[in-house]
Structure formats: structure tokens, C-alpha cells
Amino acid sequence: MATDLLAVDRLNVFYGDSHVLHDVSWRLQTGRLLALLGRNGAGKSTTIHTIVGFLPARSGAVRLDGLDIHNTAPELISRAGVGLVPQGRRIFGSLTVRENLDVAARRAAPGGGRVWTREDVNHLFPRLGERQHQVASSLSGGELQMLAIGRALMTSPRLLLLDEPSEGLAPQIVREVQQVLQDLKQQVSIVLVEQNLGLAMTLADDVVLLDTGRVVFAGTREAFSERSEELQVHLGVH
Ligand SMILES: Nc1ncnc2c1ncn2[C@@H]1O[C@H](COP(=O)(O)OP(=O)(O)OP(=O)(O)O)[C@@H](O)[C@H]1O
Ligand SMILES: [Mg+2]
């Protein structure tokens, strides 16, 4: 049996005394896109932050290619080929587009996926290419999101984690993000946190649904669609 690229295994995570993730388990195989769904406060970002090493797990494991990486330093997890596009984008506003990309550049992890250069990112996002010397604070919301994705690609990840990339974007820009992710999913394995169900369902191979820190569904998109009426209650969609 093939080893999972990423396995989240019975994770329990706390903020102080507050128990936020309860025995969260799911897995992702190479080449697939997994949509991590759930309403506000369900624990999606907490899961992502635990995977990248920002938060410690009280118990459980996070395995990358079978190796337990939980409670490892974020820098080492990044070097192992895990790229993050954080919620809220977190771009350096006073740096130019080019500087934002260059600070993220790094040699690809051994055994990693494709190597990305600044030229590759500019090819994927021509609008960024035209704005190389512009400070990031002058970019539109959509351009900032493209830059956030570009910055993560500059680490040449084999696993890309995106935390609500469509948040706060106009429908036209969401369609652009969708097209970009459609292309990227041919090249890198992806975990996509989303509240935009339409976007998630268009792209996903697999779905994990969280409700108050517990997995209430994990399976293929087809299996999710078959049960979507019953599962809507966990999404806050009325
Ligand atoms: N730093 C923190 N300290 C204490 N509690 C926190 C902290 N960050 C998040 N929480 C709580 O943990 C729970 C899960 O939050 P999390 O940010 O993971 O949700 P989310 O699914 O990403 O939501 P959203 O869609 O709004 O981003 C929530 O109840 C939240 O209030
Ligand atoms: Mg979040």
C-alpha cells in the first residue's frame, strides 16, 4: 500500500485549557486535493497551524511520508516541502512584489516536487510580473492573494496548504483563484481550507468536514456529495 503524503492521526490540540481539536484524523495521498471545510471557529486554521508546527499537539501525530513531524520546528517542516498560504495572506506591505518572492526563495527539499523560480511565478501570475517593483501595500486584494500563493510556491513545496484563499475576494477574482488552483493541482498536492463550498467542490478530490474540532466527514468528494444534504447542518448553510 502506498504511504500517505500527509496523515493527521488523532490530533488533540489545546489553547491553554480550551480543548479545540478532538482526535482529528485524516489522510492525503500524493497528487490529490483535499478540501478542509467547516464553519467559523470549527478548527480549520488550528489544524493547519498544527501541521506546519506553529502549534504543539497535546497528543496524536502528523506524518509526512510516514515520518512524524508533529512538534517539529516550523522551519524544518517548511524545508521538508510543506508550503503555507496563510489566512489573511500576511504579505510584507513595505517590500516590493519581487522582494516578497525573493525572501521566500529556497532550494527545493530533497525528493520534493517541482522547483519554482521567480520567473515561474511571474509566468503563472502575469499581473505580478508587471508589478515586480511595486510595494505590496499598493496591490489589490486579488493581487495580494496571488502574491501569497507565489510566495509559498517559491519554497518549492510538494504539499501546499491554503487557508481560505477566497476570503474577502470579489467573485471575478475568486474565479481567477479557482483557475490557478485548477492548474496547480496538476503539479502539487494541496490542502485547501474553504468556506466557499462551490469553489471547494469544483476542485476537491477528497473532503474533510470539521464541526467544533471534530471530524464529522472524511472521504471522497463523491461520497460527500451523496450525503451533502445531511452534512449541510455542519456548514452553517441554511
Ligand atoms: N489563539 C487562540 N487562543 C484561544 N482560542 C483560540 C485561538 N485561536 C483560535 N481559537 C479558538 O479555537 C477555535 C478554532 O479556531 P480556528 O481559528 O481554528 O477556526 P477556523 O475553522 O479556522 O475558523 P475561521 O473560518 O473563522 O478562520 C475557535 O473556537 C477559536 O475561537
Ligand atoms: Mg481560520
Side-chain angles (χ1 to χ4, degrees):
M1 200 179 74
T3 310
D4 299 310
L5 175 61
L6 181 71
V8 173
D9 189 9
R10 285 173 295 155
L11 272 191
N12 284 282
V13 175
F14 290 68
Y15 292 108
D17 290 337
S18 173
H19 191 173
V20 172
L21 295 186
H22 301 258
D23 284 324
V24 166
S25 296
W26 48 264
R27 45 200 50 210
L28 172 72
Q29 290 190 334
T30 299
R32 292 180 75 84
L33 186 147
L34 182 146
L36 181 57
L37 308 177
R39 63 168 81 94
N40 291 115
K44 305 181 297 297
S45 295
T46 302
T47 304
I48 296 295
H49 291 166
T50 308
I51 293 169
V52 299
F54 292 167
L55 280 173
R58 183 79 58 94
S59 66
V62 176
R63 292 192 192 87
L64 186 69
D65 279 333
L67 289 176
D68 191 358
I69 57 166
H70 102 281
N71 300 346
T72 301
E75 175 63 19
L76 295 178
I77 294 171
S78 169
R79 275 180 199 281
V82 181
L84 171 66
V85 182
Q87 188 167 14
R89 331 208 207 282
R90 311 228 171 251
I91 291 296
F92 298 113
S94 61
L95 299 187
T96 64
V97 167
R98 180 176 176 153
E99 287 165 344
N100 266 285
L101 293 176
D102 284 346
V103 292
R106 131 147 19 105
R107 289 227 315 274
R114 115 166 229 202
V115 176
W116 285 81
T117 64
R118 184 165 13 90
E119 288 68 33
D120 296 328
V121 171
N122 291 339
H123 184 70
L124 183 69
F125 302 119
R127 284 220 303 275
L128 287 186
E130 293 160 13
R131 289 167 173 73
Q132 284 294 288
H133 302 293
Q134 209 167 305
V135 287
S137 58
S138 66
L139 298 180
S140 71
E143 290 161 357
L144 278 174
Q145 187 58 62
M146 305 302 175
L147 182 54
I149 295 172
R151 187 181 54 181
L153 291 174
M154 290 292 286
T155 68
S156 298
R158 55 204 167 115
L159 171 62
L160 186 62
L161 313 174
L162 297 115
D163 196 348
E164 302 207 32
S166 75
E167 196 177 20
L169 299 182
Q172 168 62 28
I173 309 298
V174 173
R175 280 192 289 277
E176 282 182 36
V177 169
Q178 178 177 319
Q179 190 54 57
V180 164
L181 295 180
Q182 198 80 57
D183 293 347
L184 277 180
K185 71 175 275 199
Q186 314 302 326
Q187 307 178 46
V188 60
S189 307
I190 294 176
V191 176
L192 173 66
V193 172
E194 259 309 326
Q195 295 216 40
N196 181 329
L197 189 60
L199 175 65
M201 285 303 113
T202 308
L203 294 164
D205 302 304
D206 303 306
V207 176
V208 170
L209 176 57
L210 292 178
D211 191 341
T212 50
R214 291 179 171 82
V215 174
V216 291
F217 176 88
T220 63
R221 189 210 32 220
E222 292 77 11
F224 181 84
S225 295
E226 278 170 23
R227 291 179 52 196
S228 64
E229 252 177 61
E230 151 208 356
L231 293 169
Q232 294 286 325
V233 62
H234 302 289
L235 281 165
V237 180
H238 302 292

